[in-house]
């Protein structure tokens, strides 16, 4: 699955939806990541958190972060 995230809020919504699709509670995800529930909530609501934490969350869900300029006319393939 691919998504476009133009803000921390967009990314947070994507992370939360992906977690819920897998049936993982916030408490369970906090344990898997080794983050506090407050940090997990901050990630999912688009608050300012380190890129390391965002990357870790994406990895646990099986995603990779790819940054592409908005103006780029490219197609990303696996």
């Amino acid at each position: 699955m691919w998504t476009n995230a133009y803000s921390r809020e967009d990314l947070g919504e994507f992370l939360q939806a992906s977690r819920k699709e897998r049936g993982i509670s916030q408490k369970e995800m906090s344990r898997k990541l080794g983050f506090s529930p407050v940090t997990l909530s901050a990630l999912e609501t688009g608050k300012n958190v380190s890129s390391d934490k965002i990357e870790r969350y994406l990895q646990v869900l099986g995603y990779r972060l790819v940054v592409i300029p908005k103006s780029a006319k490219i197609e990303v393939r696996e």
Side-chain angles (χ1 to χ4, degrees):
M1 174 191 339
W2 291 94
T3 190
N4 293 321
Y6 297 106
S7 67
R8 287 188 312 263
E9 291 82 8
D10 290 346
L11 183 57
E13 288 174 15
F14 174 75
L15 293 172
Q16 183 180 58
S18 295
R19 174 183 57 76
K20 287 181 176 182
E21 284 174 9
R22 289 166 173 75
I24 303 170
S25 70
Q26 277 191 321
K27 187 176 183 176
E28 183 181 354
M29 183 58 83
S30 291
R31 280 196 306 265
K32 285 182 180 210
L33 295 168
F35 300 167
S36 72
V38 171
T39 299
L40 184 74
S41 179
L43 274 162
E44 292 186 348
T45 57
K47 303 293 187 282
N48 193 17
V49 295
S50 75
S51 59
D52 291 343
K53 287 182 172 36
I54 293 168
E55 189 173 355
R56 175 77 180 126
Y57 198 140
L58 288 165
Q59 287 174 348
V60 166
L61 293 174
Y63 295 113
R64 281 188 286 162
L65 179 64
V66 178
V67 179
I68 302 168
K70 288 183 193 180
S71 62
K73 302 288 186 215
I74 64 169
E75 182 178 332
V76 178
R77 292 187 210 146
E78 186 61 30

